[in-house]
Amino acid sequence: MRNSFVSHTRIPKHAASHARNPNHTQPSLSARASRTPAAGCPPSAAQSPGNNAPTRTPSGSHFPPLASTDPAKEMEKLGMSEEEEEMEVKEEEEEEEETASYLNSSTSEGGRRSRGREEKERTKMRERQRRAITARILGGLRKHGNYNLRVRADINEVIAALAREAGWLVLPDGTTFPSSQAGRPTTSASTLPMPHSAAPPLRGMSPPGSFRSLDHRQAMVDKRLRGVFPPPASPLCFATAGISGTSQDQSPVLEDSIESGEDGKVTRGGLPRLPDRDFSGTPYVPVYVMLPLGAVNMNCEVADPDGLINDLKLLKSAGVDGVMVDCWWGIVEANKPLEYNWSGYKSLFQIIKQLKLKLQVVMSFHKCGSNVGDDITIPLPNWVAQIGRANPDIYFTDGHGRRNTECLTWGIDKERVLRGRTALEVYFDFMRSFRVEFNELFEDGVISEIEVGLGPCGELRYPSYAMEHGWRYPGIGEFQCYDQYLMKSLRNAAEGRGHSFWGKGPDNAGTYNSRPQDTKFFCDGGDYDGHYGRFFLAWYSKVLIDHADHVLTLVKLAFEGSSIAVKLSGVHWWYKTASHAAELTAGFYNPCNRDGYAPITAMLKKHNAALNFTCVELRTLNQYEMFPEAMSDPEGLVWQVLNAAWDANIPVSSENALPCFDRDGFHKILENAKPFDDPDGRHLLSFTYLRLAPALFEEMNFFEFKRFVKKMHGEAVLDN
């Protein structure tokens, strides 16, 4: 097949004039002579080695020489044999025979064959010239730019490689648009290697054999996301794409050192990048830092007061507004019901107050040690564990009967199974005791926010992806509704619907590490979107929302007049699929044809509670490079949730899901915290950094962190 690079390359003007005017005459060339060992070279190249004069046609037009190199040798260097070239020439000849036939049919009998052969030879000469130029271009890109281009790449592959180098996403069908990393380095084509991974499939662009999906960037036209503004790209994203922005300097800046090699050539010590967006003058967003999980030990004492004071002083010097502290149910009410020990937290809060820092306090009703990043173990209260041994149905249970002891099932919210109290009463008594004990800190404004734990890891979700049960990323997880209390609720809902046989969980939803397409429930067109599937998922998500609704009603009574927040987990894997399986098992009824977060934000609006969302530092492209099979889209998820909250007119806070020390991660957080050119000027209420650790105070890490805090505060920062 002819090289499509040739077919798309523009014909030189002087050559095109002959193609348009067949009346020009030219000495006849032998077709046999055109297939000499120097195949692919115009007649001028067959002259003596020293003759570089251009070929002149009778009309006076010139074809420029192709230098003294032999294109056949160039082709051989590039992996294309003369036999392959000869095959291409034969294919061209067959096509050109049709052109000659057309010309012969439109001219007189005496001169038509001669002119047809002349036109044929001119076409061959032009095509070979173009092919030789193509060979040089591809060879140069591979040799000097480390581009992963195949020997016989066409013009589309070259353009795609250059576009990706400039930071754009190029889909398999040719659709091209700025990626979330379009503001990353953009240099000449001969200095940086092309990414070796293909462009990630987006929602709506699933690979062959995959399943239906939607692109989150099409959310503006999605009925379920009316009024949503898609994530705006930084003005830096368009610096080299010919699109105007507002960056102060669009010249590349070398982030790392550039040294001169022995041969005098410049070697790269790092990738050049454009200046960061200027956040000076933007709204002030407070920054908090989570304290270590074991800041207060199991004896309810401050674990390392001297070391903690030093760390807090460093945070204060960086401009941090405050810290977040977990108040563990398993420490405070460890041994007996209604016996609370707040001594360790009194000492800790006094230290924080003396340093003039604010406090975000988490009512942690879950076990510590079951999640990624948990470096200590803090179980549920001992007396709760004793009840659980006698009645394991107080815990969430999967379809195989495995109990999750990280937190209590929502099925006992109104069941008196905890020494005569319901779970809701237990939570309320704990919070009321805290409010009475630390009333002075509320009145002085030291405690700025109360975040109430509503599930595993303190998040509003089911414990569907528990590592202790063998789950590994990016498994879809399993439904957690098989304790006797939730199953009773499901049966009642099915009977109320008039279909009692629906009173059971799905039996075809796979296991913790299944993929959506491997199950009959979550696959494209699967049972999740059938009558039973919609009934079950609606009930499953309603239990989650009702639990939060009931707890927040009591939180408002315990902390009247205080700011309240709820943490929502960012389940971003399988977001690009139709079913959003991982979100469904976690309790978020958010398939591609339904907005599962709007009902949650509406419930939060009812209680004037803020939403705290995670994974704001993650980039979709990075997730694709690490786990392409996960069909993850954290950016799309973050923007869906943020817009759902802002549409409900509730404040939004956020935190990072994984440790973050680099500028790129901090910049992504800033982009989400203060969306560029948002028409309503919306921004985050606050940001909480996860987590205080020795690595944060390493020189470069702490430098980047201080720089990040200043930008969150809207201060001017030098681009260095």
Side-chain angles (χ1 to χ4, degrees), residues 531-714:
H531 295 295
Y532 162 74
R534 291 196 295 270
F535 159 77
F536 172 79
L537 293 172
W539 167 83
Y540 192 70
S541 63
K542 185 177 183 298
V543 171
L544 175 144
I545 295 174
D546 287 347
H547 168 71
D549 187 20
H550 298 152
V551 173
L552 288 177
T553 299
L554 300 177
V555 171
K556 288 173 64 178
L557 293 176
F559 301 109
E560 184 178 1
S562 301
S563 297
I564 302 169
V566 169
K567 183 178 176 182
L568 207 64
S569 60
V571 184
H572 53 81
W573 52 105
W574 305 114
Y575 187 81
K576 291 181 183 177
T577 65
S579 63
H580 292 218
E583 291 172 89
L584 297 186
T585 58
F588 307 127
Y589 191 7
N590 189 52
C592 66
N593 57 354
R594 187 180 187 276
D595 185 0
Y597 297 99
I600 296 175
T601 57
M603 177 270 302
L604 295 178
K605 173 65 175 177
K606 171 184 172 182
H607 298 285
N608 294 320
L611 171 64
N612 182 15
F613 195 64
T614 63
C615 74
V616 291
E617 85 285 10
L618 302 181
R619 294 184 184 271
T620 297
L621 187 58
N622 292 344
Q623 291 297 307
Y624 174 81
E625 290 173 349
M626 293 185 291
F627 298 96
E629 72 281 6
M631 301 293 284
S632 169
D633 190 2
E635 294 180 69
L637 174 63
V638 167
W639 275 90
Q640 181 186 352
V641 174
L642 291 185
N643 278 280
W646 283 331
D647 286 347
N649 197 28
I650 62 172
V652 185
S653 300
S654 69
E655 62 185 53
N656 50 306
L658 300 173
C660 178
F661 304 108
D662 62 290
R663 184 173 300 187
D664 187 63
F666 285 135
H667 190 73
K668 183 60 183 175
I669 296 170
L670 283 160
E671 288 177 350
N672 286 321
K674 304 177 183 184
F676 174 73
D677 203 22
D678 185 278
D680 299 314
R682 299 175 297 190
H683 57 84
L684 294 183
L685 174 68
S686 65
F687 174 79
T688 304
Y689 177 81
L690 182 155
R691 160 179 326 270
L692 178 63
L696 176 62
F697 298 117
E698 294 178 8
E699 183 177 0
M700 286 306 300
N701 293 345
F702 199 51
F703 170 80
E704 292 294 342
F705 178 74
K706 290 189 292 184
R707 191 173 181 275
F708 162 73
V709 172
K710 288 183 178 180
K711 289 193 171 189
M712 290 292 280
H713 290 170

Side-chain angles (χ1 to χ4, degrees), residues 79-111:
M80 184 184 294
S81 66
E82 292 184 8
E83 289 76 13
E84 292 175 320
E85 180 67 12
E86 186 70 13
M87 291 178 63
E88 285 198 354
V89 171
K90 289 180 180 179
E91 292 175 357
E92 292 167 11
E93 289 177 350
E94 292 176 1
E95 294 178 10
E96 291 157 359
E97 284 293 340
E98 297 178 4
T99 303
S101 175
Y102 174 80
L103 292 173
N104 290 341
S105 65
S106 61
T107 58
S108 63
E109 180 67 21

Side-chain angles (χ1 to χ4, degrees), residues 33 65 195 208 276 284 317 343 358 459 515 527 575 609 623 629 646:
D276 291 336
Y284 187 101
S317 70
S343 59
K358 300 289 186 180
E459 300 169 335
R515 299 180 300 173
D527 291 346
Y575 187 81
Q623 291 297 307
E629 72 281 6
W646 283 331

Side-chain angles (χ1 to χ4, degrees), residues 241-537:
I243 303 176
S244 62
T246 59
S247 60
Q248 294 178 336
D249 183 10
Q250 293 183 349
S251 61
V253 178
L254 288 182
E255 196 173 33
D256 299 310
S257 62
I258 299 181
E259 301 176 353
S260 178
E262 295 179 358
D263 57 356
K265 296 181 179 180
V266 175
T267 59
R268 290 175 285 110
L271 295 178
R273 64 181 295 154
L274 292 171
D276 291 336
R277 173 184 157 194
D278 182 11
F279 287 91
S280 61
T282 56
Y284 187 101
V285 176
V287 177
Y288 292 78
V289 176
M290 296 184 195
L291 293 190
L293 295 171
V296 174
N297 59 29
M298 289 299 298
N299 296 322
C300 204
E301 300 171 343
V302 179
D304 180 14
D306 294 335
L308 182 62
I309 291 174
N310 292 333
D311 290 345
L312 292 177
K313 287 181 178 179
L314 287 173
L315 292 179
K316 182 71 175 180
S317 70
V320 167
D321 297 89
V323 294
M324 175 179 277
V325 177
D326 286 277
C327 281
W328 295 102
W329 183 30
I331 293 178
V332 176
E333 197 180 1
N335 299 315
K336 293 182 180 180
L338 298 172
E339 288 189 5
Y340 305 105
N341 179 8
W342 299 104
S343 59
Y345 290 100
K346 287 181 179 179
S347 301
L348 176 61
F349 293 171
Q350 191 62 33
I351 293 173
I352 295 169
K353 180 181 178 180
Q354 290 174 353
L355 292 173
K356 294 180 170 42
L357 292 170
K358 300 289 186 180
L359 261 171
Q360 290 178 327
V361 183
V362 183
M363 303 286 102
S364 297
F365 296 110
H366 63 283
K367 179 178 74 173
C368 177
S370 301
N371 296 282
V372 176
D374 290 356
D375 52 2
I376 63 171
T377 299
I378 301 175
L380 296 182
N382 296 328
W383 60 273
V384 173
Q386 294 174 2
I387 297 173
R389 284 190 287 270
N391 179 16
D393 281 299
I394 67 171
Y395 303 121
F396 283 107
T397 308
D398 64 23
H400 298 89
R402 287 170 291 200
R403 314 289 183 173
N404 188 303
T405 60
E406 187 176 353
C407 60
L408 301 179
T409 175
W410 302 329
I412 64 169
D413 277 356
K414 297 182 179 181
E415 299 286 340
R416 296 191 176 278
V417 295
L418 300 176
R419 303 283 175 88
R421 292 186 295 168
T422 66
L424 291 176
E425 291 171 343
V426 169
Y427 303 147
F428 176 72
D429 291 339
F430 181 89
M431 292 185 291
R432 182 175 55 182
S433 174
F434 177 88
R435 180 65 174 84
V436 172
E437 196 69 38
F438 298 102
N439 181 63
E440 181 182 350
L441 297 180
F442 282 96
E443 292 180 350
D444 294 342
V446 176
I447 296 178
S448 61
E449 183 180 83
I450 295 293
E451 181 176 294
V452 57
L454 295 173
C457 203
E459 300 169 335
L460 177 58
R461 65 173 175 87
Y462 287 87
S464 57
Y465 47 94
M467 297 184 67
E468 61 181 313
H469 290 161
W471 174 85
R472 295 296 180 268
Y473 184 83
I476 61 175
E478 292 189 20
F479 292 112
Q480 305 289 314
C481 59
Y482 293 91
D483 60 85
Q484 63 168 311
Y485 304 103
L486 287 181
M487 288 305 296
K488 178 182 177 181
S489 172
L490 177 59
R491 287 192 296 269
N492 291 338
E495 291 174 0
R497 180 71 180 271
H499 305 291
S500 58
F501 54 92
W502 283 356
K504 60 180 181 179
D507 57 4
N508 57 356
T511 60
Y512 284 103
N513 295 311
S514 296
R515 299 180 300 173
Q517 65 268 32
D518 296 334
T519 72
K520 292 184 179 180
F521 191 82
F522 297 115
C523 67
D524 190 18
D527 291 346
Y528 81 92
D529 203 26
H531 295 295
Y532 162 74
R534 291 196 295 270
F535 159 77
F536 172 79
L537 293 172

